[in-house]
Amino acid sequence: MLSTHRRRAAVTTAALALLGTGLPAVPAMAADGPDLGRFYRQRITWSACTGEGDPKDLQCGKVTVPLDYARPATGTLDLALARYRATGGSRGSVLLDFGGPGGAGTPELAAGGDEFMDLTAGYDVVTFDPRGVGRSSPVSCGDYADGAWDNAPDGEGGTGVDGDPKAVLEQLRQAARTCARHSGPVLPYIGTVYASRDLDVMRQALGDKKLNYLGFSYGTRLGAVYAAQFPKKVGRMVLDGVDTLTEPMAQQALVGAEGQQTALDDFLTWCAQDVACPFGQDARSAREQFVRLVGSLDQDPVPSGFGQPFTGQDLVGAAGQALYAKELWPLLERALAQLVEDGDSSGLTRLSGGGPAPAVASARAAGGLTDPEDVPPDNFAAALMAVNCADDPDRPTAAQLTRELPGLRARYEEASPVFGRYRLTEVLMCYGRPRGTDFIRERVRNVRTPKMLLVGTRGDPATPYRWAEETARRLGSSAVVLDNRGEGHTGYASSKCVHRKVNAFLLYGSLPADGSSCGTEPDER
C-alpha cells in the first residue's frame, strides 16, 4: 500500500516483460551446483548503524551472496543486515522477515524493535533487506513512477485498467522497457527461491547450525520455501499471517480485495462513532462518501508532497496500508480529515509506509522516519511485483487478457468497490514476463523438519485464516497451527497471547498444541 511514487511503480514493476526470456526459474541447489564455499565461509562484521534516527544499540552489517547460485561468476551483491545483541546467554540468532514482498527489514527493526526485546533474552535478533530491497541492490522503475500509467489513454475518458484492453497491454510493454532501464543486474535474480538460498548463507555467516526464524505475511512464504530446500537446517520456525502456497495471483488479489473492503467497512464504522470523523456519524453514509472521494480524486487529483498528483488510487493504497493494524486507525482518520477539509494529502502520503508491518508506517506518519537517499522511492512497489511475478507460473496471453479483462473488472469491482481496481492492476502486471517458478506450488509440501508453529488470525484482512490451515496441510506433520481469534494482519504484535506463545516456542521450545487458540481479548492467555 503505497505513496504516489510507490503505487505507480506497483502498477508497472511486475510487467518486466523485456528483461530476458529464459531466465532460470529455480536456482540450482548447492549439491548440484558449483563450489559456494567462499560465501559460506564469510563472517559478518558488525558496527553501529549510522542511519538518521537509528537506535544507538542497533548494529548493522552485510553479507555477500551470488547473484545466481548456479553461476556464481555472474556477480555478487551485498545484503544489508541489522541486529540487537542478546542480553542474556545467547543460543545464536533468530532471523526476522517482516513481509512484503518488498519490505526492508532494517528500517522495520529500527522503528519497531521494542516488540522483539523479549527475544534478546536468548538470541541476537537479526533482520535483513532481501535482494532487490532497501539497501540490498534496490530495484526501481524510475521515471515510469512519474505518471505514465495514469496518463494511459483508454478511449473512455478514464485511465489505467479501466481502458481499452489493447491500450492496457501496450502500457504494460512500456512499463517493462522502463523498469528494465532503471533496475540493476539483480532484477533477473529476484524471487523467493533465490531469497531462501540467501537465508542459508546468512545462517552460516551468523554462525548458526540451524535457522531460527520468525516470518510475517510474505515472510511465511519465504520460511516455507526455506524449509523445503533446507529441511535439515530448520531450527525453531514461526510463520505468522500465513501466505498461500498454491493460489494464483488472480485469486490472491480477489481475497485481498475482499479482506481490505471488510477492514475498511470496520474502520468507517469505528470512525463514525467519533465526532471528528470527516465523513460524519452515519457509517453507511461514510462508506458512500469514501467511494465518491476515490472517484473524485481519480478525476481531479490534488497535489502531493512529491510534486505529483495525488489520485484516488493513491488514497486507496494509503488507506489499505493503514488498515493492516488498528493502532493506525486514528492516524488514518486524521489524515483523511486533512484531505477532506484542506485538500492536504501529506498525512496519507506519510502513512504509505511500504510494507505490511505497522512500525515503519507509524514512524513515517509521525515524521520520525524517512527513506535513505540511496533507496528509490518506488523500491517497495518494484520489488513487490518483481518477486510475486517470479513466484507465479501463470502467464495469460494477450488474447486471453483482451478477452477476459471486462469480466475481471466486474469480478474485482464486486469483491470491493474501493480496492477492486487497485488489486486488479497488480494481477495484470505479470503480463509478458517469462513465467515464474513452479517450485513453490509443486515442491513446497510434506517437509521433514522439526515442528513449526503457524499462526493464523481469524480477522486478518490480508492473509485469511484458511490459508494457515491449507499451508499446514501442505507442509504435513511438521506444522502446528495456533488459532488467533482476533483482528488485524498477523498476531504477534496485536495479541499478548500470541506474543507469549511464540516467544515460549522460540526461546524455550515450548510448542502449543495443534489447534489451540488465543481469544479475542488481548490479555487472554
CSV table of all heavy atoms in Angstrom, one decimal, residues 42 62-63 86 96 98 110 119 137 140 160 183 249 293 322 336 347 369 376 407 421 438 461 467 503 510:
chain,number,residue,atom,x,y,z
A,42,GLN,N,32.2,-16.9,5.0
A,42,GLN,CA,32.3,-15.5,5.5
A,42,GLN,C,31.7,-15.3,6.8
A,42,GLN,O,30.9,-16.1,7.3
A,42,GLN,CB,31.6,-14.6,4.5
A,42,GLN,CG,30.1,-14.7,4.4
A,42,GLN,CD,29.5,-13.8,3.3
A,42,GLN,OE1,29.7,-12.6,3.3
A,42,GLN,NE2,28.8,-14.5,2.3
A,62,LYS,N,26.7,-6.6,6.8
A,62,LYS,CA,26.3,-7.1,5.5
A,62,LYS,C,26.8,-8.5,5.2
A,62,LYS,O,27.8,-8.9,5.9
A,62,LYS,CB,26.8,-6.1,4.4
A,62,LYS,CG,28.3,-6.1,4.3
A,62,LYS,CD,28.7,-5.1,3.2
A,62,LYS,CE,30.3,-5.1,3.0
A,62,LYS,NZ,30.7,-4.1,1.9
A,63,VAL,N,26.2,-9.2,4.3
A,63,VAL,CA,26.7,-10.5,3.9
A,63,VAL,C,26.6,-10.5,2.3
A,63,VAL,O,25.7,-9.9,1.7
A,63,VAL,CB,25.8,-11.6,4.5
A,63,VAL,CG1,24.4,-11.5,3.9
A,63,VAL,CG2,26.4,-12.9,4.2
A,86,ALA,N,22.0,-10.1,22.0
A,86,ALA,CA,21.4,-10.8,23.1
A,86,ALA,C,21.8,-10.2,24.4
A,86,ALA,O,23.0,-9.8,24.5
A,86,ALA,CB,21.7,-12.3,23.0
A,96,LEU,N,14.5,-12.4,11.4
A,96,LEU,CA,13.1,-11.9,11.2
A,96,LEU,C,12.9,-11.4,9.8
A,96,LEU,O,13.8,-10.8,9.2
A,96,LEU,CB,12.8,-10.7,12.1
A,96,LEU,CG,13.1,-10.8,13.6
A,96,LEU,CD1,12.7,-9.5,14.3
A,96,LEU,CD2,12.4,-12.0,14.2
A,98,PHE,N,9.8,-9.3,7.8
A,98,PHE,CA,8.6,-8.5,8.2
A,98,PHE,C,7.6,-8.6,7.0
A,98,PHE,O,6.5,-8.0,7.2
A,98,PHE,CB,9.0,-7.1,8.5
A,98,PHE,CG,9.7,-6.9,9.8
A,98,PHE,CD1,11.1,-6.8,9.8
A,98,PHE,CD2,9.1,-6.9,11.0
A,98,PHE,CE1,11.8,-6.7,11.0
A,98,PHE,CE2,9.8,-6.8,12.2
A,98,PHE,CZ,11.2,-6.7,12.2
A,110,ALA,N,14.5,-1.0,13.2
A,110,ALA,CA,14.9,0.2,13.9
A,110,ALA,C,13.7,0.9,14.4
A,110,ALA,O,13.7,1.5,15.5
A,110,ALA,CB,15.6,1.2,12.8
A,119,LEU,N,12.9,-11.4,23.0
A,119,LEU,CA,13.7,-12.4,22.4
A,119,LEU,C,15.2,-12.3,22.6
A,119,LEU,O,15.9,-13.3,22.4
A,119,LEU,CB,13.4,-12.5,20.9
A,119,LEU,CG,12.0,-12.9,20.5
A,119,LEU,CD1,11.8,-12.7,18.9
A,119,LEU,CD2,11.7,-14.3,20.9
A,137,SER,N,20.9,-3.7,-3.1
A,137,SER,CA,20.7,-3.5,-4.5
A,137,SER,C,19.3,-3.3,-4.9
A,137,SER,O,18.7,-4.1,-5.7
A,137,SER,CB,21.3,-4.8,-5.3
A,137,SER,OG,22.6,-5.0,-5.0
A,140,SER,N,14.1,-0.6,-9.2
A,140,SER,CA,13.3,0.6,-9.4
A,140,SER,C,12.7,0.6,-10.8
A,140,SER,O,13.3,0.0,-11.7
A,140,SER,CB,14.2,1.8,-9.2
A,140,SER,OG,13.5,3.0,-9.5
A,160,GLY,N,-5.6,3.8,-17.1
A,160,GLY,CA,-5.2,2.5,-16.5
A,160,GLY,C,-6.0,1.4,-16.9
A,160,GLY,O,-6.4,1.2,-18.0
A,183,SER,N,16.5,-0.8,-13.4
A,183,SER,CA,16.8,-1.8,-12.4
A,183,SER,C,18.2,-2.3,-12.8
A,183,SER,O,18.6,-2.5,-13.9
A,183,SER,CB,15.8,-2.9,-12.4
A,183,SER,OG,14.6,-2.4,-11.8
A,249,MET,N,-2.1,-15.6,-8.5
A,249,MET,CA,-2.1,-14.2,-8.1
A,249,MET,C,-3.5,-13.7,-8.2
A,249,MET,O,-4.0,-12.8,-7.4
A,249,MET,CB,-1.1,-13.4,-8.9
A,249,MET,CG,0.3,-13.6,-8.4
A,249,MET,SD,1.4,-12.5,-9.4
A,249,MET,CE,0.8,-10.8,-8.9
A,293,LEU,N,-15.2,9.9,-2.8
A,293,LEU,CA,-13.9,10.6,-2.7
A,293,LEU,C,-12.9,10.0,-3.6
A,293,LEU,O,-12.1,10.7,-4.3
A,293,LEU,CB,-13.5,10.6,-1.2
A,293,LEU,CG,-12.1,11.3,-0.9
A,293,LEU,CD1,-12.2,12.8,-1.3
A,293,LEU,CD2,-11.8,11.1,0.5
A,322,ALA,N,-2.9,1.5,6.0
A,322,ALA,CA,-3.2,1.7,7.4
A,322,ALA,C,-4.2,0.7,8.0
A,322,ALA,O,-4.3,0.6,9.2
A,322,ALA,CB,-3.8,3.2,7.5
A,336,LEU,N,-7.3,11.5,6.7
A,336,LEU,CA,-8.4,11.7,5.9
A,336,LEU,C,-9.1,13.0,6.1
A,336,LEU,O,-9.6,13.7,5.2
A,336,LEU,CB,-9.4,10.5,6.1
A,336,LEU,CG,-9.1,9.2,5.5
A,336,LEU,CD1,-10.0,8.1,6.0
A,336,LEU,CD2,-9.1,9.2,4.0
A,347,GLY,N,-0.6,13.7,5.1
A,347,GLY,CA,-0.8,12.7,6.1
A,347,GLY,C,-0.9,11.3,5.5
A,347,GLY,O,-0.4,10.3,6.0
A,369,LEU,N,10.7,9.1,10.5
A,369,LEU,CA,11.5,8.2,9.6
A,369,LEU,C,11.3,8.6,8.2
A,369,LEU,O,10.2,8.8,7.7
A,369,LEU,CB,10.9,6.8,9.9
A,369,LEU,CG,11.7,5.6,9.2
A,369,LEU,CD1,13.1,5.5,9.7
A,369,LEU,CD2,10.9,4.3,9.3
A,376,PRO,N,15.5,4.0,-4.0
A,376,PRO,CA,14.5,4.7,-4.8
A,376,PRO,C,13.1,4.7,-4.1
A,376,PRO,O,12.7,3.8,-3.4
A,376,PRO,CB,14.4,3.8,-6.1
A,376,PRO,CG,15.7,3.1,-6.1
A,376,PRO,CD,16.1,2.9,-4.6
A,407,GLY,N,-14.5,-9.0,-17.9
A,407,GLY,CA,-15.1,-9.9,-16.8
A,407,GLY,C,-14.3,-9.8,-15.5
A,407,GLY,O,-14.8,-9.8,-14.4
A,421,ARG,N,-10.2,-2.2,-8.2
A,421,ARG,CA,-9.4,-1.8,-9.4
A,421,ARG,C,-7.9,-1.8,-9.0
A,421,ARG,O,-7.1,-2.2,-9.8
A,421,ARG,CB,-9.8,-0.3,-9.7
A,421,ARG,CG,-8.9,0.3,-10.8
A,421,ARG,CD,-9.3,1.8,-11.0
A,421,ARG,NE,-8.3,2.4,-11.8
A,421,ARG,CZ,-8.2,3.7,-12.0
A,421,ARG,NH1,-9.1,4.5,-11.5
A,421,ARG,NH2,-7.3,4.3,-12.8
A,438,ASP,N,7.7,-22.9,-10.8
A,438,ASP,CA,6.6,-23.7,-10.3
A,438,ASP,C,7.1,-24.5,-9.0
A,438,ASP,O,6.4,-25.4,-8.5
A,438,ASP,CB,6.1,-24.7,-11.3
A,438,ASP,CG,7.2,-25.6,-11.9
A,438,ASP,OD1,8.3,-25.6,-11.4
A,438,ASP,OD2,6.9,-26.3,-12.8
A,461,PRO,N,-7.1,-9.1,7.4
A,461,PRO,CA,-7.6,-8.6,6.1
A,461,PRO,C,-6.7,-9.0,4.9
A,461,PRO,O,-7.1,-8.8,3.8
A,461,PRO,CB,-7.6,-7.1,6.3
A,461,PRO,CG,-6.5,-6.9,7.2
A,461,PRO,CD,-6.5,-8.0,8.2
A,467,TRP,N,-5.8,-19.9,4.9
A,467,TRP,CA,-4.5,-20.1,4.3
A,467,TRP,C,-3.6,-20.8,5.3
A,467,TRP,O,-2.7,-21.6,5.0
A,467,TRP,CB,-3.9,-18.8,3.8
A,467,TRP,CG,-4.5,-18.3,2.6
A,467,TRP,CD1,-5.4,-18.9,1.8
A,467,TRP,CD2,-4.2,-17.1,1.9
A,467,TRP,NE1,-5.7,-18.2,0.7
A,467,TRP,CE2,-5.0,-17.0,0.7
A,467,TRP,CE3,-3.3,-16.0,2.1
A,467,TRP,CZ2,-4.9,-16.0,-0.2
A,467,TRP,CZ3,-3.2,-15.0,1.3
A,467,TRP,CH2,-4.0,-15.0,0.1
A,503,ASN,N,7.0,-16.5,21.7
A,503,ASN,CA,8.3,-16.3,22.5
A,503,ASN,C,8.6,-17.6,23.2
A,503,ASN,O,9.8,-18.0,23.3
A,503,ASN,CB,8.2,-15.2,23.5
A,503,ASN,CG,8.2,-13.8,22.8
A,503,ASN,OD1,8.5,-13.7,21.6
A,503,ASN,ND2,8.0,-12.8,23.5
A,510,SER,N,8.8,-24.6,23.8
A,510,SER,CA,7.5,-24.9,24.3
A,510,SER,C,6.5,-24.7,23.2
A,510,SER,O,6.2,-23.5,22.9
A,510,SER,CB,7.2,-24.1,25.6
A,510,SER,OG,5.9,-24.4,26.0
